Amino acid sequence: MSNVLLEVRELTTKYVTRFREDVYAVDHVSLKVEEGKTLGIAGESGCGKSTLALSLMGYYFPPLHYISGDILINGKNISKMKPDDIRKSVLGNEIAYIPQAAMNALNPTRRIIHFIEDVMQAHELYITKKDIYNRARELFETLGLPEEVLHKYPVELSGGMKQRTVIAVSVLLLPKVLIADEPSSALDVTSQKMVIKMLRQLMEKGLISSLIFITHELPLLYNVTDDIMVMYAGQIVEKASSKDAVFDPLHPYAKGLMGSIIVPESGLRDVKLTAIPGVPPNLKNPPAGCRFAERCKYVRPDCRTSSVHLRDVNDTRTYRCILPENELRDIYAKEVAQNG
Amino acid sequence: MKQIIQQIFRSGKFIVGFSIFTTILLVVIVYPLLIPDPPLNIIGQGTFFEPGIYVSVFDSISSPQYTLNLDEAAAKRIASKLGEEDRLAIKEWLIASGIPEGEIEIENTEKLLDQWFENYDPAKNIPGMTNAKRNYFIRLNKAITGLLSDEGMSITVKNAETGVLEEKGTIVPSAYVNVNEVPNVRVLPLGTDNFGRDVLTELVAATRVSLQIGFVAGIIATLIGLTLGLLSGYVGGVVDDVIMFITNLFIVIPSFVLLILISFSIGQDQRGAFTIAMVIGFTSWVWTARAVRSQVISLRNRDHVNLSKLSGHSVVHIILTDILPYIASYVVMALILQISSGILAEAGLSILGLGPRTTEVPTLGLMMNWAMIYQAHILGKWWAYFPVIITIALITFSMNLMNTGLDQVFNPALRD
Amino acid sequence: MAVDYIYVEVILRAYRKYFLNKFLWFLVTLVSAFLLNFILPRLMPGDPVAAIVSRLAQGMSNTSGIQAIYEQYTELFGTNKPLLEQFVIYVKNVVQGDFGFSFSQYPRTVADVIKSSIWWTIALQFPAIIVGWLIGNSLGALAAYLRGSFDKVFMPISIFASNLPAFGMAVILMVVFAVTLKWFPTSGGYGFDLIPNFSWKFIWSVIVHYQLPFWSIVLITIGGQAIGMRSMSIYELNADYVKYSRFMGIKDRKIVSYVFRNAMLPQITGLALSIGTMVGGALVAEIIFSYPGLGSTILTAVLGQDYPLISAATLIITIMVLSANFLIEIVYGFLDPRIKAVQAD
């Protein structure tokens, strides 16, 4: 068993809305990421996957608030640290983040190199501008980015270039874990491929040790990740190896999700397209029983009343349903038989 | 739709603004039903009567009289009659009579009068006192003694035949009338203005006219802005270039200057409230046009619009069903702003002397203009201008609050 | 080095393009202002010159004055000539500063009347608007950053203050500080018993008379600017780059400086666009204080049915606003790097 870089235990965070209502967008989530591995997080928009990404940083500001749980990076529990210590010694150094809208992630009125200076100086007080410049140039060279970019303003860069610049800046301080939140969703196909290639490069060149990749595009996840975690309504509903999660999902929601996506990969082509009807529950007042019950094809009366826990299938696989594995498989098999 | 309205009414700012505005509107509607006087009726002979309850003296005399024995009546009577000047004069006399200044309390009427009666002597001469001053003190003494006496005043009527005054009765200091039994009592909560008109009645009418001006100006401006914005944004090309050129031009050329020029050129005789409203409307559409255009441009290539185009719908149909509903919230917000800025524009014009002609209707701006011309602010006649300023501020404030509330509902990024 | 040199060249070219653009636009607006000033009165029912002449008969007692004005106007307007030629004559006159005689203040020329009032307006309004803009933006930024109770108290006050018309603020300040407290004089630009000169007494009198009009414009400007800056700052605080910068461990103080710089830029453009409206409001405030600027000049002109004076005063105000607008655009060009970037494409 290799070294666990990031371990999260029962993490719960909430949003406080304008009307002072609590929305528990991350509800008792536990996960582990090992060195050299990539974890994918999938789910519909609003399922809490982006909030989970923010929560993993351990650095909270309104409207997001920490409630309970632990985040351990390399065995060090950061959820008990002071915010300013986290800022100085964790953010960027241990764990870094690439936001969803990387297009707008750079201050439009600051040259890239000046922003890099701000980042470096926030962690190392006495570093000279020359050293910073050299380090930035080296990094850009390694990642195949032109040096001129350093002197430019974000508006002067193309979308793909901005994206790659943000990725480069994120790994400037050689973080162990990188969290990428839908880094490619706003890009054209070519730029998307570039970004994915670059993320792989980061791992290969040892700039980062593990990656958490969040997207709603499953084929992408299957290609990039080792494990996949499916979230629904702030909770984990299934966690499995990429192969199992995509080809053999157990949770009805995961199954529906895999079916709802247009899949170009050859092995997936015969999977039928079936969108999941309905909308996720309102997290201001989550339902008592299974949160997916309202949309589940296989719902039973108990689903709405009894609380539903994660069931472990084996060491690496778990899912959240009142039905045991064999019953679920029977149901799925019957359905396939009926549809021919 | 219902959900949107519910959401709007959850915004505190909108509710406050809406309540203030509705209250103003209600007053404007209900007040004339209760008090149907013409607003520009001159009732007061003289300028700037203070706010208060005006009781007919003539009617009071012939009203049933009641005797009330109240202890402080005499003191109050003197206190109200004894002006600042008289008190100072008394003080002057007392000092001249050798009373130390520290012992004289000018505001304490009772003590002051005691000292006065003790020390006043008409025969005494103060060095340096003029004859006029001496007579003044004699008169003052007489007045004070008169006020303190228990004797009543006689009411006399001239006999029509003989021309002789005949006593009809006396009024003693302890006689009272019940205000409810006096047939003519006029309450002037805000007094009268420089022409002697009831300020409150005038203010309500002026608010109504100003609101009408604001609405007409706002609707004209919004219609022009909406049309030009839609054309410019949806049609694009040369049309867009031309419209945007004109819009940008009128954004930098101050509309206030245009208003002055046009209003002056129209001439005093042609300037009714409606004309002013139209002029304001025609000079203030630019912001709406710009806002609508940028909204339309962002909508123009959305899927539902393209779908509608592919289905062969006409331009008018597309604009009405696929574009207008999406920009409706912006248009409403723009309209609200236009109305409030229209009211302000009228006020500014009127203060410059370019407001609507004066004989028929008051407007808030005209009331302000009259008050300024007659120097109400320098003379301390607050009731002639302060309620006007407050009314204008409340109208624009409430509309702006509603607008901010709407903005927060429709642009979640601005939410607190 | 070579790279740097080329880069500087590109920037210079971008700036040149931006400024040239702005300058051309300034010229276009200027010409349009002349055109509007010329054509609007002529579009209205009734010919302005005919109206002027008819007013002459009632208005003036000085017979030689009437004659002089009549001759002057026939020449000045060239009424019997075609419209285009009239416009040429008009522009020529204006460029030479010849606006004819003033009706209400004959035998003074319009140029003379304007000359004696324009500096009062410029010296009053532009400093007041700039000071109000600076204070308003600082307070708005503070409200956005601190939020909480400061925001809760400060915002309703500024919303209310910004909805007070400029003349309302002027009247309130005057009643409180001049009429009631008697700290400042109620009206005029200097003591009515003084003749303008460079003595200390006169300068002091000017300073004392300056205060109330100045602060009433400042206070009005503060409210609106503070509200704008607050919502701009809140908008920027929610921007993606703020979140990213935070997660890169950048200190809050640094991020705040990003936010305020970026929020201020649209406020500068906003100032350029709204300076016309502000000047309009401030002109009315001048009237309340009988300040000897262009506002009071317009009032006198309106009361005296002095067409040439109104026409000239409005033209001068427009030119002032357009120039201020142009200046702000130039300053903005230096402050926002995005301008260079867009122009360099």
Side-chain angles (χ1 to χ4, degrees), chain B residues 128-199:
Chain B
M129 187 167 71
T130 57
N131 223 16
K133 194 87 188 194
R134 191 206 311 271
N135 287 338
Y136 166 77
F137 278 117
I138 292 170
R139 275 202 312 277
L140 184 65
N141 190 45
K142 224 184 223 167
I144 296 172
T145 336
L147 282 170
L148 281 176
S149 78
D150 293 335
E151 281 171 39
M153 274 185 207
S154 351
I155 306 162
T156 57
V157 174
K158 201 184 227 174
N159 190 312
E161 287 166 24
T162 57
V164 175
L165 291 174
E166 293 171 4
E167 193 177 90
K168 285 280 181 185
T170 51
I171 299 175
V172 288
S174 58
Y176 285 77
V177 292
N178 184 340
V179 173
N180 294 333
E181 288 171 355
V182 179
N184 284 303
V185 175
R186 175 67 183 247
V187 184
L188 295 172
L190 293 176
T192 68
D193 71 357
N194 51 294
F195 297 115
R197 303 182 291 215
D198 177 359
V199 172

Side-chain angles (χ1 to χ4, degrees), chain A residues 54 57 61 87 91 97 99 101 104-107 109-111 115 118 122-123 153 155-156 166 169-170, chain C residues 7 11 152 240-241 243-252 254 258 261-262 265 336-338 340-341:
Chain A
L54 300 180
M57 307 295 293
F61 39 86
R87 179 188 70 71
L91 300 180
Y97 172 77
N104 309 317
L106 296 166
N107 180 358
T109 60
R110 207 144 173 80
R111 287 181 208 275
F115 180 67
D118 293 344
H123 297 89
Y153 287 100
V155 267
E156 297 173 276
V166 170
V169 173
S170 299
Chain C
Y7 195 67
I11 289 177
K152 282 206 176 68
D240 293 312
Y241 70 83
K243 200 172 25 168
Y244 182 62
S245 305
R246 269 187 174 144
F247 281 138
M248 284 313 292
I250 293 179
K251 281 187 210 117
D252 263 11
K254 189 101 214 167
Y258 291 176
R261 188 197 151 98
N262 292 348
L265 290 171
D336 192 345
R338 283 168 287 193
K340 296 194 283 273

Side-chain angles (χ1 to χ4, degrees), chain C residues 6 10 41 85 89 111 113 131 146 168 185 200 234 251 258 300 309:
Chain C
I6 292 167
V10 168
E85 212 180 320
I89 294 172
V113 176
V131 169
L146 294 178
W200 282 114
I234 289 176
K251 281 187 210 117
Y258 291 176
T300 335
L309 188 51

Side-chain angles (χ1 to χ4, degrees), chain B residues 261-280:
Chain B
L261 268 183
I262 299 177
S263 307
F264 183 75
S265 307
I266 289 173
Q268 177 85 40
D269 314 328
Q270 307 288 321
R271 275 205 307 268
F274 187 71
T275 319
I276 290 290
M278 293 224 309
V279 174
I280 295 172

